[in-house]
C-alpha cells in the first residue's frame, strides 16, 4: 500500500511537520477524486535539506564502485515495480495503460540503465599541464518534476545525481504523486543511504519556492513551464545556486519538398498526438510546402480520424484525457482562438470527443493554413492540437521554424539525408531529429532560448551534477 500521507526524509517515512494540509488526486478519465496526499511546507523542506546536507558528507566520498553497485540494485528493484508504476501513471495523468507501462515506466528504467553505463566509464579526473582537473559532486540538489512524463523526469535527474555523489530533495508534481512515492520505496529497498534521497509532496508556490530559495541547496534541477522556470530562477538568484532547467517548447516539424509526404505527415501527426500532446518536445508546428497544404491536410485528417480518445484502460484507446480541468480549459480556449483567428479547422475542434460525456478528453485537432503570427502557432498548447503552416521554399521553412521564443526540439524530413542534415544544422534547438529518427538516449536533451539552459541524459546529464576543480601543481616534478 503506497503511503501518500507521509514524506520520505532521512531514510524513513515521516509525518509532515504541519499536519492536516492535503489535496485530492483526481482521475482525469472520470473527474473523480481517488485519494488525498499530504502537502508539505517550508518546515518540511528545512528538515529534508538538513538530512541531505548531513548525508552529503559521507555519500560524496563514496567510490565509483559503490555507486555502480547501488545503481545496479536500483535497476533490479525497479524492474519488479514497472507494472505498478504504469498503472499509477495511467490513473493519475491519463496515459493509456499499455503506453504507461511500456513507455512511461520504461523511460525511467532506460535512464537508470543508461546512467549506470555512463558511470562505469566516466573519467572523473584528467591532467592539464601540472594541474589535475577533478570533477566532484555539486552538493545538495533540489529537484522539481512535472506530471506529463513523471518517471522519465524523476529518473533522468535522480540517477545522474546519485552517480555523481550528490544528495537530493525531490518535489514531484502533486497531480502524479504515486509513481514518485513508489520510486522512493524502490530506492529505500535498494539500500540508498539515509538522507541521500528525500521526497516531499507540496505545491510550487510553497514547497517549490522554499527549495529554490534555500541557502543550503546548491543546485535546482527544474522541469516544467517556462513561466514557472522563470520564477524558480528569480528565487534562486540571491543564493547564486546552479539552476538547470528544461522548459516549454513549440517545436517545428519541417517537411521539405521531395520528402515522402505520407510517411512524414503520418509520423508527425502520430508523434504530436502521443501522450495526448503533453510532451514538451512535441512536433506541434508542421511546416510544409505551401503548394502541398491541401494534400498534407488530407493525410493529417486521416490520422486524426483514426485516433481514438477514450478510457485509458479500454482496448483500442489511442490517447487518454489531458491531466486536469485547468489544462482542458486552456486547450479549449486555444482551439477556439485558432478558429477565431482564421485557421482552417481540418479535424477535431472544441468540446468532448463523440461518445464521451465525462473526463478531460480533447478531440484530436488539426488546423491548416496557420500563419506564424497566430496564437496557436506561438503558444505551447500542451494538448493533441497540431498546427500546419505553409512555407514558400526551404529558406522560408527555416525562417518560420526559428521564429519562436522556444528552442527545445526540431524535426526535419527531406528527400535525402544530406538535405535533412543541412536544414537540421540551421534549426536553433537543442534536439533535432532527422528523417523520423527518435531521440538517442545517450545524447544530451535540453533546449535553447526560453526552452531552458541545462542538459539531461547520458554523459551530459551526469556532468550537470558535477563541479570542476583545478588543482595546479598536482603533477609538478
Amino acid at each position: 500500500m503506497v503511503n501518500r500521507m507521509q514524506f520520505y526524509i532521512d531514510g524513513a517515512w515521516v509525518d509532515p511537520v504541519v499536519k492536516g494540509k492535503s489535496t485530492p488526486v483526481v482521475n482525469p478519465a472520470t473527474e473523480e477524486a481517488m485519494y488525498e496526499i499530504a502537502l508539505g511546507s517550508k518546515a518540511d523542506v528545512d528538515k529534508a535539506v538538513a538530512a541531505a546536507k548531513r548525508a552529503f558528507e559521507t555519500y560524496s566520498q563514496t567510490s565509483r564502485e559503490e555507486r555502480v553497485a547501488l545503481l545496479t540494485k536500483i535497476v533490479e528493484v525497479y524492474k519488479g515495480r514497472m507494472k505498478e508504476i504504469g498503472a499509477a501513471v495511467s490513473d493519475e495523468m491519463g496515459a493509456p495503460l499499455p503506453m504507461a507501462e511500456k513507455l512511461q515506466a520504461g523511460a525511467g528504467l532506460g535512464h537508470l540503465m543508461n546512467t549506470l553505463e555512463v558511470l562505469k566509464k566516466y573519467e572523473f579526473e584528467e591532467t592539464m599541464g601540472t594541474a589535475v582537473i577533478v570533477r566532484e559532486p555539486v552538493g545538495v540538489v533540489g529537484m522539481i518534476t512535472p506530471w506529463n512524463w513523471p518517471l522519465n523526469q524523476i529518473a533522468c535527474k535522480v540517477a545522474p545525481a546519485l552517480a555523481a555523489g550528490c544528495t537530493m530533495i525531490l518535489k514531484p508534481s502533486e497531480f502524479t504523486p504515486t509513481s514518485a512515492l513508489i520510486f522512493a520505496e524502490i530506492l529505500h529497498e535498494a539500500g540508498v543511504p539515509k538522507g541521500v534521497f528525500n521526497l516531499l509532496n507540496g505545491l510550487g508556490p510553497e514547497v517549490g519556492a522554499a527549495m529554490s530559495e534555500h541557502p543550503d541547496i546548491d543546485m535546482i534541477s527544474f522541469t516544467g513551464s517556462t513561466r514557472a522556470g522563470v520564477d524558480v530562477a528569480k528565487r534562486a538568484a540571491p543564493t547564486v545556486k546552479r539552476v538547470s532547467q528544461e522548459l516549454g517548447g513549440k517545436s517545428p516539424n519541417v517537411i521539405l519538398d521531395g520528402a515522402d509526404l505520407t510517411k512524414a505527415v503520418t509520423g508527425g501527426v502520430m508523434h504530436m498526438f502521443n501522450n495526448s500532446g503533453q510532451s514538451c518536445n512535441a512536433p506541434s508546428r508542421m511546416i510544409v510546402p505551401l503548394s502541398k497544404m491541401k494534400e498534407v491536410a488530407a493525410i493529417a485528417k486521416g490520422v486524426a480520424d483514426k485516433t481514438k480518445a477514450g478510457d485509458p484502460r479500454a482496448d483500442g484507446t489511442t490517447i487518454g484525457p489531458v491531466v486536469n480541468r485547468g489544462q482542458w480549459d486552456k486547450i479549449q480556449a486555444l482551439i477556439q482562438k485558432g478558429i477565431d483567428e482564421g485557421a482552417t479547422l481540418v479535424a477535431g475542434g472544441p468540446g468532448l470527443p463523440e461518445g464521451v460525456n465525462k473526463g478531460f478528453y480533447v478531440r484530436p485537432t488539426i488546423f491548416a493554413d496557420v500563419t506564424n503570427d497566430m496564437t496557436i502557432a506561438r503558444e505551447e498548447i500542451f494538448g493533441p492540437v497540431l498546427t500546419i503552416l505553409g512555407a514558400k521554399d526551404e529558406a522560408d521553412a527555416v525562417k518560420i521554424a526559428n521564429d519562436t521564443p522556444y528552442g527545445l526540439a526540431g524535426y526535419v524530413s527531406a528527400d535525402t539525408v544530406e538535405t535533412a542534415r543541412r536544414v537540421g544544422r540551421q534549426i536553433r534547438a537543442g534536439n533535432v531529429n532527422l528523417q523520423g529518427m527518435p531521440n538517442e538516449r545517450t545524447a544530451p536533451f535540453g533546449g535553447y532560448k526560453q526552452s531552458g539552459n541545462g542538459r539531461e541524459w547520458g554523459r551530459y546529464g551526469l556532468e550537470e551534477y558535477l563541479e570542476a576543480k583545478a588543482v595546479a601543481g598536482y603533477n609538478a616534478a
Side-chain angles (χ1 to χ4, degrees), residues 93-264:
M93 61 78 63
L97 185 60
M99 180 265 193
E101 290 178 351
K102 182 179 179 181
L103 300 183
Q104 291 274 6
L109 179 63
H111 287 303
L112 288 166
M113 295 175 69
N114 184 38
T115 301
L116 175 58
E117 293 309 306
V118 170
L119 176 59
K120 288 176 181 178
K121 303 168 188 172
Y122 188 76
E123 296 294 336
F124 286 91
E125 297 185 9
E126 63 177 311
T127 298
M128 289 187 180
T130 69
V132 63
I133 312 304
V134 183
R135 296 195 180 271
E136 300 179 336
V138 71
V140 176
V141 182
M143 302 172 172
I144 302 172
T145 56
W147 46 262
N148 60 320
W149 286 89
L151 261 296
N152 177 75
Q153 290 306 135
I154 289 171
C156 77
K157 296 182 191 301
V158 172
L162 287 173
C166 294
T167 58
M168 64 215 73
I169 302 95
L170 169 67
K171 189 203 89 65
S173 169
E174 65 273 20
F175 300 117
T176 52
T178 301
S179 56
L181 292 165
I182 294 170
F183 191 79
E185 293 177 350
I186 290 168
L187 266 56
H188 182 82
E189 183 180 340
V192 173
K194 71 176 189 175
V196 171
F197 173 85
N198 305 274
L199 179 151
L200 60 152
N201 285 308
L203 304 179
E206 190 164 0
V207 170
M211 289 169 62
S212 302
E213 294 169 354
H214 206 291
D216 288 334
I217 288 182
D218 302 289
M219 172 182 171
I220 289 285
S221 179
F222 173 83
T223 299
S225 70
T226 297
R227 175 197 53 78
V230 169
D231 184 68
V232 166
K234 286 179 176 178
R235 292 179 183 276
T239 53
V240 200
K241 56 171 59 71
R242 182 181 298 181
V243 178
S244 177
Q245 300 182 323
E246 196 265 282
L247 307 175
K250 194 70 178 174
S251 301
N253 181 8
V254 178
I255 301 176
L256 297 167
D257 233 341
D260 183 331
L261 209 57
T262 300
K263 179 181 177 183

Side-chain angles (χ1 to χ4, degrees), residues 250-252 254 285 397-412 422-432 446-451 455:
K250 194 70 178 174
S251 301
V254 178
R285 290 186 300 142
V398 171
K399 182 180 178 182
I400 294 169
N402 289 332
D403 181 14
T404 172
Y406 297 108
L408 185 57
Y411 303 83
V412 181
R422 184 182 69 247
V423 172
R425 285 181 176 273
Q426 297 175 68
I427 291 178
R428 297 281 297 163
N431 296 86
V432 178
Y448 288 14
K449 300 188 280 186
Q450 291 185 28
S451 287
R455 291 295 180 270

Side-chain angles (χ1 to χ4, degrees), residues 313-342:
R313 292 183 177 246
D315 290 341
T317 294
T318 310
I319 60 173
V322 297
V323 71
N324 57 37
R325 170 67 65 185
Q327 286 295 120
W328 190 87
D329 287 343
K330 174 193 166 190
I331 294 163
Q332 295 301 311
L334 284 165
I335 290 173
Q336 188 59 51
K337 192 80 169 174
I339 295 169
D340 294 345
E341 291 186 355

Side-chain angles (χ1 to χ4, degrees), residues 341 370-378 389 403:
E341 291 186 355
V370 176
T371 56
N372 215 32
D373 58 350
M374 291 181 180
T375 304
I376 56 172
R378 307 302 297 177
L389 302 90
D403 181 14

Side-chain angles (χ1 to χ4, degrees), residues 4 27 34-35 81-102 104-105 178-179 182 312-313:
R4 298 185 178 91
N27 184 321
M34 297 181 287
Y35 35 72
R81 304 289 298 270
M82 283 183 66
K83 286 188 76 66
E84 191 180 350
I85 288 168
V89 171
S90 181
D91 286 346
E92 292 179 348
M93 61 78 63
L97 185 60
M99 180 265 193
E101 290 178 351
K102 182 179 179 181
Q104 291 274 6
T178 301
S179 56
I182 294 170
R313 292 183 177 246

Side-chain angles (χ1 to χ4, degrees), residues 341-362:
E341 291 186 355
T344 301
L345 183 64
V346 173
L352 292 169
E354 189 176 337
V356 174
N357 57 17
K358 66 177 179 179
F360 306 127
Y361 292 95
V362 175

